[in-house]
Amino acid sequence: MVDDESGSEDFRIQVEVVDDSGRLLLDDPPYPEGLTRAISLASDDAIIGHDVRRLEARVAVDDDEVIHALHHAGYRREGRLRQARVRENGWIDEYIYSRLATDEIYTRTGHTGMLDSVLPTKRVISHVLLRDDAGRVLMCETTYKPDWELPGGVVEPIESPHAGAVRECREELGTPLDIPGTPSLIDWMPPALGWSDAIEFIYDAGVAEPSLVKVMHPADSEISRLHWVEPQLIPDHVTALSARRIEAILSDCMPRATENGFPV
């Protein structure tokens, strides 16, 4: 165990070390005015002076003073532990933070790396609207839900929306599509069915060549069948939100940016 005095006679920061990993332990509040400096000194001492590779800290989500100090000491948020700490009035969640010996800390890159770990993130989804020469729209019947979807899916981290659309269509249809670089519709999706909110990009790939239609097949285990659907029948197979967005693209009657499928 590594102890680091905070400068206050009645406050102490401890670091429990096992092998090359440590956990930051704080006394209960009230905290000293120099809490940020105390955490920084204790962390620096553990990493530099005792060869600790990883430091971890857990803090209640409403403990703003400690959260602020961890941010300024270069700790990065790794996740949220639900009902991890008990209080007199019930359970409360905890944030889990870490600092690695290899992290940049007292630099601009270190600061933005910390911010990147704590600022809000959103799912990004890319779908593609494709028609055949009869004007029917390609829909994917999935194995995990009753409503159908346009080809596409969730964009991976460090992947552009367009690259995600290209990849997802190749994976689902077994063949690459020529997808334009500019989306036809960008829509904000509100939380639903246990999902948080998301941003969806929908690209209009136009009319597929008959030769391309012939070679398309369900190439992903999540896709059970492909369907070419008459536009007027699409609402029978998709969610109301999907129906609004597809109609907007087909009729070109709505703005290019929507929220929940409606003009803002």
Side-chain angles (χ1 to χ4, degrees):
M1 177 176 291
V2 179
D3 290 351
D4 192 282
E5 298 290 347
S6 70
S8 172
E9 293 182 358
D10 58 355
F11 185 84
R12 170 171 289 184
I13 295 177
Q14 296 179 334
V15 179
E16 285 187 345
V17 177
V18 178
D19 296 327
D20 62 351
S21 296
R23 183 173 178 184
L24 198 70
L25 303 174
L26 305 180
D27 285 348
D28 292 330
Y31 304 117
E33 292 184 4
L35 179 61
T36 296
R37 183 172 182 273
I39 290 177
S40 294
L41 289 174
S43 303
D44 290 345
D45 178 68
I47 290 173
I48 299 172
H50 295 81
D51 294 325
V52 172
R53 174 185 55 84
R54 169 188 165 86
L55 277 175
E56 180 180 301
R58 298 185 182 185
V59 56
V61 296
D62 63 353
D63 199 338
D64 295 335
E65 193 171 357
V66 175
I67 290 172
H68 177 82
L70 289 171
H71 290 174
H72 284 271
Y75 280 75
R76 303 186 186 190
R77 189 180 297 170
E78 291 186 338
R80 182 169 180 146
L81 306 175
R82 297 185 299 164
Q83 295 189 3
R85 181 177 303 195
V86 67
R87 293 266 182 84
E88 291 183 359
N89 56 347
W91 290 93
I92 189 169
D93 295 357
E94 284 185 336
Y95 289 133
I96 181 168
Y97 283 85
S98 74
R99 176 175 157 180
L100 304 182
T102 54
D103 286 341
E104 287 192 41
I105 303 299
Y106 306 114
T107 65
R108 179 177 179 181
T109 300
H111 182 66
T112 54
M114 176 278 295
L115 289 176
D116 188 60
S117 75
V118 300
L119 291 176
T121 60
K122 292 185 186 292
R123 285 179 301 126
V124 175
I125 303 168
S126 289
H127 279 118
V128 175
L129 191 148
L130 185 67
R131 286 153 285 186
D132 65 6
D133 54 11
R136 297 176 301 178
V137 175
L138 178 62
M139 303 298 301
C140 297
E141 181 179 352
T142 69
T143 59
Y144 56 89
K145 62 179 181 178
D147 52 284
W148 299 354
E149 288 276 9
L150 295 172
V154 176
V155 177
E156 297 289 346
I158 322 300
E159 181 180 53
S160 73
H162 182 263
V166 172
R167 175 187 52 77
E168 283 282 345
C169 287
R170 183 177 62 251
E171 292 174 354
E172 293 182 348
L173 307 177
T175 184
L177 295 184
D178 185 12
I179 300 172
T182 302
S184 292
L185 193 69
I186 301 174
D187 185 55
W188 172 76
M189 301 169 55
L193 299 174
W195 292 103
S196 59
D197 65 336
I199 302 294
E200 178 154 347
F201 293 74
I202 304 180
Y203 298 85
D204 187 352
V207 178
E209 294 289 338
S211 59
L212 182 64
V213 174
K214 289 181 181 179
V215 299
M216 287 182 183
H217 64 281
D220 187 285
S221 60
E222 294 182 347
I223 307 299
S224 60
R225 293 183 62 189
L226 303 179
H227 302 272
W228 293 94
V229 184
E230 298 285 350
Q232 65 271 21
L233 299 179
I234 289 175
D236 296 337
H237 302 287
V238 302
T239 65
L241 170 57
S242 292
R244 287 195 295 273
R245 295 189 302 205
I246 294 171
E247 182 184 5
I249 296 173
L250 293 177
S251 62
D252 198 26
C253 66
M254 295 181 75
R256 294 300 184 186
T258 56
E259 293 185 1
N260 198 23
F262 295 107
V264 180

